[in-house]
């Protein structure tokens, strides 16, 4: 048996780093750590003005590097047991060569006015991190240079030469601090596979350090906007897996072949206001992607863990199509449960299929993740039900089977919210109702192990993701106990259960 | 409309007071406070040796009153927002006239060696309480004299004259401290209605203070013991209501007529090892008792809030037929949910019936408690399903309906525990499974309000207790939103929901 | 005896409202609530863009009022037991008539493009608050119109007529929602007493609602800036009291005479980067102001409770001269202790003087607040020590005296930080050291009550603020106890203490 | 340099195991874990009736092993990060050969009625532990057979042959479960060194497993009792070290030579009601014992971590001479601070003396523990002050020196309690006062490093234990900063501090 690898939870995305100062963010991250256990976290804006790292005095023009907020954020991450996946960007205004910005919060996307000053800033940041957290710790944090330089939104004119220059300056500055630090890029958006060859060529030619390569993956088509919202088409799930796989293909034969590949962002839609993110459909769509990705990349980082996120201004409603696994105030969405289910799978893979994954632990506990396959905009309608059958060996005479279900109704706060009339700003009681309706439905029963095997027939509802835990049972003897003597048990059902 | 009175949660029972020092007890009490909100708590053994209140020095024979543990317990109660219902007993060994004891923990049940010393002890305790907590606070705590003196187990020879003497000494000692303190008795067990007339006569004749009267109510027949367990027959639920009503009947025309009546203990079975307490049957059985009791007594105190309880020695298994609403480590039983449901009912009674209670709040929220009636040992079998229909007025165009179900399968940790093979001492993971399976099943939907009314048809499973919350909904407008554009929503179901 | 009024803690200032979303802020506020107990909290920027209240769709130009963050902030306040003192401002960009802004975070300070739209916004906000929190609650929240309109920094051209027009529109919009809401202004900065007469005249003439008047008070002179810091001169403490008193003087005889006066901001210096705020000098300077203010205003609101504050960009160091009672990560400054001491004073004022305040509680507990008077830049040097003598009646034979001291060394994290080499970004261990050194020094002893009185001679160190608590003692008898038999106690000191 | 070994905190004692179910106990243990970090915990009564492990049915006489409480206790220990040091005893009543008991709580001290049944019980307990916690974990838990069998109080007739038989039965039963489990004894009280030779002889002769040896150490003379208290004489501290050393001496040359030696109990006095335990004298007395013991034994276990303890009945007062480092409700005693100071010492021993220990960490932090030597009943009076001088190398130009002091006044809740009139049952406010007065006094300053060294002259008060932490300081530059410009700093003191 193969072990279930951790690449599905190696990393998760977050709104801009400054948002990590917020309570709602921290409480959400604590929950995500407890239930899912992501190892690293990656977001934009570490060097943007609102982090106050690069400060120029108005009195004498002197520069001071300041870590007031950076320390608060990284201290919090480490306290919560999650490590940074450092993205270096965007440009501090006082260091920028231009005024172009991205997002509502105005991240400056122009090259540095002066590459030496930029290198000094990068060295100062890394030195501070090594000083504060220890070099052994910081060596485990990948350092990625910029974000999606192939798009004009994120990098002035999407200028490839300018990015390569920035990459080189940055990578060398990082290595100046400690040769053991890991640096990589080029953090491409989908549709930029023509950058791979020049990137490999550039770094090879100039012998620039590269410890990993990275790109992003999204499955959505063009945005059709409505006020405070967006609709989009979706490709089939396999489109995402193809994107995961692209770096390896394109780098085969280059000096970069064999390097770790990190998909540093992925999701169905790349829009922070597409309601698809709030649905059970999103979970059913991504289930085979999470399982399929295990073979294709060293990590693929869900963009993002929660809806504390402001790229397109402050959300106007609790459900607003945000990327988050959780929306505001820790209301889990169906995709949250998909991840939480996967986190409870066993250590060893017993079986994999188009609609299921079966694992087992050393103590005999068997777990099943099953889903209804869905096909994106052009796929066939998923149907009202989907049957999954799995069968596996189990020790002992009986088993306890517990199942949790998430679909268009169960474990679906978004469904409850619509039934509640879509309150933009729910009161405390309504938030409690939403969290309550967000819990997966639970079923349990006792089954006989027949000929050393258990066979499960699982009937899934529309867009369902199901988690099943099967525990071997050793019934304990209690002399004199006779359930038939319990009132209301006259029909022998209670008793029968042990005799089936 | 009548307000829903609080008498059902005026008081709850507890294992002996010393057990309140324990963590498991305190965590359970905190949960019960949060979810149910009992006002007072009553248990045995306040003056028993393990509380260390009455201490005699072996060196010089001097007596010291000590409140080390008493303060810890009452401080805890008040911190948790629950007040003592003080039961004075049992006898400190150094003050006892004999060696007879009750329970595994050996509460001494003999009269005081010296009534003056007993009175001094009572005064010292009450004075300390008034000093520590303030007289206004302590005046809200009823003080009950002894427990079930009509039984030889609890009072030497069940000697009525001796009890009346104890009552008089005690009541006068209490009033010596402050005339505003409330004292009462005689805390009779079932089957002792012949004590009422003599008690009324005695206190009238001698002008002894009585501020309330108290008795207990149980519905179970003789114990048929097995190792570490007991089975019993049960009368019909109405038997309990008759017992609640008995003091008023028997005291009519006496000086005690019109005094508050406290049922200071009640449950189905009086045995701490009868598995009935762990079942959904117990909850269905007690539902009409909790609702019916509202008219009959000023309080009826469920015996007891949790299974941290040792009358018959240390429980040998997590489920062991204990009285508790919670078993060890905060695993809720079905009857816990019955109480928690009642705690969430609205402020005003809209309708009552044999199988339901409907309430409403000022903001229009309607709540329904419904149950399948069950009849005790000689009643007919309850059947596989039970239908309840309720109908009520509601403002606005639509309503959100949320339902929670507890029955032989849902919200039933005892059922899951049996399926798990009845592990006496579950590990941490199994405790998590039990707590998870103890959650009521949740359903929700949107319904149209037709002609200003909502009609609910509730189908209950075997031994089910159901809670329904109906919230008026004002749908909010979100320009441009069109659920038909969401992937997987092509069948118009999502849309239809707002047009029904 | 007069009760000690609550006006000193009626309100406290805060950095812009958006910062209330942060963890460091919330943890600091929780501490301040626990130790000081401010009733209300007031800050800028409720309507600024980063709160997202007024949102205009880029798709169809429609306006949506959104309360995503406002609800999070006010929910937090109320959970923590503190109420808003609502300041309406600054101008949402989409509603502004110009582009002038204040502060690093760019609050727009121009009048509304359209007064009807502004009035609609004000009504929408107040309606939402009343809907969410209930009208009875919101009626207790003062609503202040704008901030320091007499300064060009805060109001375009400091245009008085334009402010009066804004005031009228706003006040009428507030009262449209509910006539019981309290509205006021004009929130003047120091040096603008010439605004009182025209304001009184304007509102009288047009019968505009005014429920309270407000202004600010600061004692500092012009700023002399260094990189990331500022030095200033300070007037004597009485200058602040004169400012507190000014509204009553200037409004005498107008229709506004007798209205509640709220000093909605005050501090020594008005600069967020003046190190004076971090010192013991600041506490000693403000002690007589807090006590003297009790007679002069209905509230005076310390600006601000913590250093999570960004008017002049992100602080570059943990101590940076911020306004806060606490600097980042809950390190208390000396002025924090001044407030915490005052919060522990008794209910009734026994004596007041230039360097002390003595209070007593119903149970006989006596408390003393004493300080070394300091005089601002032109005052004499304070000297190395200052003696305070107080004398008061006390019941019983002995007293327990506990004293806490804050001065240039004790209870002074800023002193420790300088000794530590002024680390801009301390590590976790250093933060622990700072918090430890921030605790007041504690002394305690037993004194005899002589002739029914206790006399205390308190020797204060440089810039000290001292708190003394005197508890009447009833020694308890413990038969046989003899401290002379304790090892090391042979010198009778332990014994002597009870015989002095 | 030698590392500072962990033997001083390898283990700590506790009241009987059943008390671990209590909240006060658990909160105290959590504190002790946080501040001191003991590795193991050992107490009596694991098999006594109140743990309910060995249960005999009254219905059919069958025996059931039950772990309801044992699991709660050990789960708690492990959650808190402390491991059991298992002591097997006392005898379950249903398995006992006689009725002799020890302590108020009546632990049965007679041999088993049937050694086979006892062995079955031991195996059942160990099997359960291995099953629940894993064999790797349980192998780290020493298993000790019985307690002080050389005393008639603890073992019927102090019968050596009977103990050896019990030891053999038990040790073999333990090894039956897993050969890797560690078993040992004989848990002798002081004054029983004549048992070593026969014990070594017995186990050698019969080849009985022994993985470690254990004994206890106390320094007190005969008890002179007063009501609810005891006074005793004390030998000099070295008497305890001699006792630590005795097993190695007596076992030299036997088969048991070289085995780990665990001092499974030690303290000044062996009485749970001797006020010496509450004093600073106790801490000063034990300081050289904790340091001296590092060379002599593999562990020495302070008896006990808190005053939740009932050997001699329920304590009648918050301070009552209990063994605990903490008295009830987490009030630390001086000896608590001695341990907490030791827990903060550095990793490497730099110097040791009669009145001090100096350690250093890898990052250059130096720590000093110093104490005033005291000599027991016959030693000379300690004097009013004691001077300690230490000198050590330090990197960098300056150092930050922080000192914490515990003596007859500072960090001394017992002193404050006496000044408060010895309230037996303090109210909540008084408990807060006690905890506040229990904090060590803190001093801090900046010193210059001269010629690469720091020299400290520490003046200790009567019975003082002092902890000093010296941190190397790298002053950070802040352009333009000039403390002379701060108000009140005109005397150059602030400035001077950096120039000394």
């Amino acid at each position: 048996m193969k072990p279930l690898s951790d690449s599905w939870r190696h990393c998760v995305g977050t709104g801009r780093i400054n948002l990590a100062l917020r309570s709602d963010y921290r409480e959400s991250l604590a929950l995500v750590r407890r239930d899912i256990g992501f190892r690293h976290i990656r977001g934009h804006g570490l060097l943007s003005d609102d982090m106050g790292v690069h400060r120029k005095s108005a009195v004498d023009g002197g520069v001071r590097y300041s870590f007031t907020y950076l320390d608060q954020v990284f201290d919090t991450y480490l306290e919560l047991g999650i490590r940074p996946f450092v993205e270096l960007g965007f440009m501090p205004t006082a260091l920028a060569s231009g005024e172009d910005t991205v997002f509502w919060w105005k991240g400056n996307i122009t090259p540095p006015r002066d590459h030496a000053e930029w290198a000094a800033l990068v060295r100062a940041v890394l030195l501070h991190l090594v000083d504060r957290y220890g070099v052994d710790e910081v060596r485990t944090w990948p350092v990625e240079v910029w974000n999606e330089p192939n798009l004009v939104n994120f990098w002035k004119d999407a200028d490839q030469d300018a990015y390569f220059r920035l990459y080189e300056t940055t990578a060398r500055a990082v290595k100046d601090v400690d040769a053991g630090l890991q640096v990589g890029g080029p953090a491409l958006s989908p549709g930029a596979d023509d950058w791979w060859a020049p990137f490999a060529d550039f770094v090879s030619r100039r012998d620039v350090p590269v410890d990993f390569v990275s790109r992003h993956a999204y499955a959505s088509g063009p945005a059709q906007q409505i006020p405070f919202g967006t609709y989009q088409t979706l490709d089939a799930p396999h489109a995402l897996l193809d994107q995961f796989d692209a770096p390896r293909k394109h780098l085969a034969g280059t000096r970069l072949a064999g390097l770790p590949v990190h998909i540093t962002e992925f999701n169905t839609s790349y829009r922070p206001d597409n309601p698809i993110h709030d649905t059970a459909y999103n979970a059913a769509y991504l289930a085979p992607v999470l399982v399929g990705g295990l073979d294709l990349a060293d990590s693929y980082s869900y963009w993002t863990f929660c809806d504390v996120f402001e790229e397109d201004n402050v959300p106007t409603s609790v459900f607003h199509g945000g990327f988050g696994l959780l929306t505001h105030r820790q209301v889990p969405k169906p995709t949250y449960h998909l991840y939480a289910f996967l986190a409870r799978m066993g250590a060893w893979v017993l079986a994999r299929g188009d609609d299921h994954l079966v694992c087992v632990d050393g103590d005999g506990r068997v777990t099943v993740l099953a889903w209804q396959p869905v096909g994106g905009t052009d796929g066939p309608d998923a149907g009202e039900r989907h049957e999954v059958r799995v069968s596996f060996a189990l020790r002992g005479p009986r088993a306890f089977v517990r199942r949790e279900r998430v679909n268009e109704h169960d474990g679906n706060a978004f469904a409850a919210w619509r039934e509640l009339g879509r309150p933009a700003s729910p009161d405390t009681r309504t938030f409690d109702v939403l969290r309550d309706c967000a819990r997966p439905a639970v079923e349990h029963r006792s089954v006989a192990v027949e000929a050393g095997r258990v066979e499960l027939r699982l009937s899934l509802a529309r867009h369902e993701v199901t988690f099943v835990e099967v525990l071997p049972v050793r019934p304990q003897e209690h002399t004199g106990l006779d359930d038939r003597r319990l009132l209301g048990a006259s029909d022998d059902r209670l008793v029968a259960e042990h005799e089936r």
Side-chain angles (χ1 to χ4, degrees), chain A residues 10 18 30 47 65 110-111 154 209 247 270 395 405 421 476 490-491:
Chain A
H10 188 77
N18 177 279
L47 301 177
Y65 302 122
T110 66
F154 285 103
Y270 60 78
R395 293 190 295 242
R405 308 163 56 119
Q476 294 190 6
S490 49
D491 60 343

Side-chain angles (χ1 to χ4, degrees), chain A residues 143-211:
Chain A
V143 180
E144 193 183 34
V145 181
W146 214 257
N147 179 69
E148 302 191 353
N150 61 296
L151 294 180
V152 293
N153 318 42
F154 285 103
W155 184 238
K156 174 107 177 134
D157 303 330
D159 181 333
Q160 194 177 77
D161 288 342
Y163 175 73
F164 289 175
R165 189 179 168 205
L166 182 82
Y167 182 84
E168 178 171 356
T169 303
T170 309
R172 295 204 191 282
V174 168
K175 295 288 187 180
D176 281 352
V177 172
D178 178 77
L181 297 176
Q182 311 168 48
V183 69
L188 301 176
S189 82
D193 286 331
D194 53 338
W195 276 50
W196 288 116
F199 181 66
D201 182 55
F202 173 80
V203 297
S204 304
R205 202 161 19 88
R206 298 185 50 90
D207 201 24
V208 182
V210 187
D211 297 304

Side-chain angles (χ1 to χ4, degrees), chain A residues 56 64 122 146 169 185 215 242 277 282 306 314 364 396 406 412 448:
Chain A
K56 189 163 213 141
R64 181 181 285 191
V122 169
W146 214 257
T169 303
R215 68 159 287 172
D242 291 344
H277 297 124
N282 204 66
C306 82
V314 179
V406 171
N412 196 323

Side-chain angles (χ1 to χ4, degrees), chain A residues 8-30:
Chain A
W8 66 273
R9 65 171 161 189
H10 188 77
C11 192
V12 75
T14 164
R16 77 177 188 279
I17 298 300
N18 177 279
L19 297 176
L21 299 171
R22 298 199 182 163
S23 294
D24 194 14
Y25 180 105
R26 292 192 188 189
E27 287 166 28
S28 296
L29 189 55

Side-chain angles (χ1 to χ4, degrees), chain A residues 372 382-387 403 405 407 443 458-464:
Chain A
Q372 183 189 41
E384 290 306 303
R385 302 208 71 84
H386 177 73
E387 302 292 321
R403 178 175 173 190
R405 308 163 56 119
N407 51 46
E443 298 164 5
L458 306 169
S459 173
L460 278 63
R462 192 166 172 84
H463 304 158
E464 177 160 323

Side-chain angles (χ1 to χ4, degrees), chain A residues 64-270:
Chain A
R64 181 181 285 191
Y65 302 122
S66 168
F67 304 103
T68 306
Y69 288 173
L70 188 55
D71 287 355
Q72 282 192 31
V73 172
F74 281 18
D75 285 2
T76 298
Y77 286 163
L78 295 173
E79 275 164 28
L80 291 175
I82 195 164
R83 290 173 154 144
F85 191 115
V86 179
E87 175 197 321
L88 291 174
F90 297 115
M91 196 55 60
T93 301
L95 198 51
S97 58
E99 298 192 345
D100 310 66
T101 64
V102 65
F103 300 138
W104 175 73
W105 49 272
K106 298 193 185 303
N108 186 296
I109 53 124
T110 66
R113 221 182 351 83
D114 178 319
H115 272 65
E117 275 192 49
W118 168 259
L121 170 63
V122 169
R123 276 193 304 267
V125 169
L126 271 300
L127 259 174
H128 174 76
L129 296 178
V130 164
D131 190 41
R132 187 175 184 89
Y133 302 108
V135 71
D136 292 339
E137 175 64 30
V138 181
R139 281 177 181 168
T140 68
W141 306 355
V143 180
E144 193 183 34
V145 181
W146 214 257
N147 179 69
E148 302 191 353
N150 61 296
L151 294 180
V152 293
N153 318 42
F154 285 103
W155 184 238
K156 174 107 177 134
D157 303 330
D159 181 333
Q160 194 177 77
D161 288 342
Y163 175 73
F164 289 175
R165 189 179 168 205
L166 182 82
Y167 182 84
E168 178 171 356
T169 303
T170 309
R172 295 204 191 282
V174 168
K175 295 288 187 180
D176 281 352
V177 172
D178 178 77
L181 297 176
Q182 311 168 48
V183 69
L188 301 176
S189 82
D193 286 331
D194 53 338
W195 276 50
W196 288 116
F199 181 66
D201 182 55
F202 173 80
V203 297
S204 304
R205 202 161 19 88
R206 298 185 50 90
D207 201 24
V208 182
V210 187
D211 297 304
F212 64 89
V213 295
S214 63
R215 68 159 287 172
H216 300 166
Y218 291 98
S220 52
Q224 305 161 283
Q225 296 195 320
I226 59 168
F228 309 103
T230 296
Y231 293 105
Q232 289 168 290
T233 56
L234 280 193
D235 292 337
H238 212 276
L240 283 174
L241 294 174
D242 291 344
Q243 294 182 49
F244 290 7
D245 201 25
R248 290 215 171 121
K249 276 196 196 141
H250 287 275
L251 294 172
T254 74
R255 206 196 77 177
L256 305 184
L259 284 184
V261 174
H262 293 297
I263 308 303
T264 50
E265 290 181 20
F266 87 98
N267 206 322
T268 47
S269 154
Y270 60 78

